[in-house]
Amino acid sequence: MTDTGLAAAEELAAAKRAPATKYRRVMLKISGEALMGDQGYGLHPPTVERIAREVKSVHELGVEICMVIGGGNIFRGLSGAAQGMERTTADYMGMLATVMNALAMQSALEGLGVFTRVISAIRMDEICEPYIRRRAVRHLEKKRVCIFAAGTGNPYFTTDTAATLRASEMGCEAIFKGTKVDGVYDKDPAKFPDAKRYDEVSYDEVLQKNLKVMDASAIALARDNDKPIIVFSLDEPGGFRGILSGEGTYTLVHG
């Protein structure tokens, strides 16, 4: 068999082994706090690597992955503004924190052999690419993980809104919101043992009941662009891959 024929046979065999997935291209949104592990702030390298392994396991299914990571483990614009800092300045500092987290995740993913690009809404050409939609789409088509940093590049917008915006621009079929709990509850399950988990909930219900899935702007943008949001536990090993394979516990937010 020729080299070309052998490569085609190996690709077909890999496709047969890989479980079928519902989505071809997805956005994974995680908070900056998810990267700090049990620490009170900053980055916890073993936790970053664990999440990178979760992303790699999904990437191996052939799914094209976008990511947005918050910056709350380093600096949160709203908390800075609450302490008297001018809001625009505080938000820009928060955007820079997301770039630091994106670079940490890129390092972890590439250490696992996953080609990754950090794409920033604020130009900083020495360390990451500027956001150009067509170039980002091409990276995804080449099976590179794209981590979108610096939010939307504008103050007063959260990384939830940035994730929904980039998901819409990239043509993602769903937004995966990784949290510390396995879905959306009517109240905080850590404080209330009788908290009820939703299997499915509508965008409008999230807004009306203030369910804290994402901020209102992000939910409205997802609704207007028909982007389902899947809320799941990032602390559950194999949870991200499992949901894409039709297993696991999660809440689906849709129209």
Side-chain angles (χ1 to χ4, degrees):
M1 183 180 292
T2 65
D3 290 344
T4 303
L6 183 60
E10 289 176 348
E11 187 175 337
L12 179 61
K16 288 181 178 178
R17 289 195 301 271
T21 61
K22 182 176 180 180
Y23 302 111
R24 181 183 61 86
R25 181 179 294 172
V26 301
M27 166 64 72
L28 174 62
K29 166 62 172 67
I30 61 177
S31 68
E33 287 87 348
L35 304 185
M36 66 187 187
D38 295 330
Q39 302 174 153
Y41 62 90
L43 289 159
H44 184 237
T47 300
V48 176
E49 183 176 349
R50 177 181 62 80
I51 295 173
R53 290 189 181 280
E54 293 284 324
V55 174
K56 180 184 179 182
S57 71
V58 171
H59 185 263
E60 289 172 341
L61 299 178
V63 178
E64 296 170 4
I65 304 172
C66 303
M67 292 183 70
V68 168
I69 307 172
N73 57 317
I74 299 171
F75 189 87
R76 185 181 293 279
L78 277 173
S79 62
Q83 295 174 27
M85 185 177 293
E86 196 269 323
R87 173 65 188 273
T88 301
T89 299
D91 279 355
Y92 278 124
M93 291 174 68
M95 290 179 215
L96 295 177
T98 72
V99 176
M100 294 172 68
N101 285 338
L103 291 171
M105 183 58 65
Q106 178 186 43
S107 177
L109 284 168
E110 293 197 335
L112 298 173
V114 180
F115 292 109
T116 309
R117 294 291 184 273
V118 173
I119 301 171
S120 173
I122 299 174
R123 291 191 73 101
M124 43 188 80
D125 296 343
E126 288 77 12
I127 58 175
C128 51
E129 294 184 11
Y131 175 69
I132 300 172
R133 190 185 71 83
R134 288 181 180 272
R135 181 186 291 177
V137 169
R138 187 65 180 138
H139 286 320
L140 292 172
E141 292 170 348
K142 290 183 177 180
K143 305 304 179 185
R144 298 165 181 157
V145 173
C146 288
I147 307 176
F148 296 101
T152 66
N154 301 288
Y156 296 94
F157 289 92
T158 67
T159 49
D160 282 344
T161 301
T164 309
L165 174 64
R166 298 294 184 234
S168 300
E169 290 178 305
M170 293 298 104
C172 294
E173 297 160 349
I175 301 167
F176 282 72
K177 176 74 182 285
T179 69
K180 292 186 176 296
V181 293
D182 59 356
V184 179
Y185 287 78
D186 60 349
K187 47 191 172 183
D188 188 348
K191 297 178 180 178
F192 302 95
D194 61 340
K196 171 191 171 185
R197 190 181 65 81
Y198 296 91
D199 288 325
E200 295 186 24
V201 63
S202 71
Y203 302 115
D204 290 338
E205 194 172 358
V206 168
L207 292 171
Q208 290 164 6
K209 295 184 177 180
N210 195 25
L211 293 177
K212 304 295 186 185
V213 177
M214 289 179 164
D215 65 79
S217 297
I219 295 295
L221 187 59
R223 179 190 61 194
D224 293 347
N225 290 281
D226 195 25
K227 298 295 177 189
I229 303 168
I230 295 165
V231 184
F232 71 105
S233 173
L234 200 62
D235 292 336
E236 181 67 29
F240 188 22
R241 180 186 173 106
I243 292 169
L244 278 158
S245 303
E247 305 168 353
T249 302
Y250 58 90
T251 297
L252 174 63
V253 182
H254 62 125

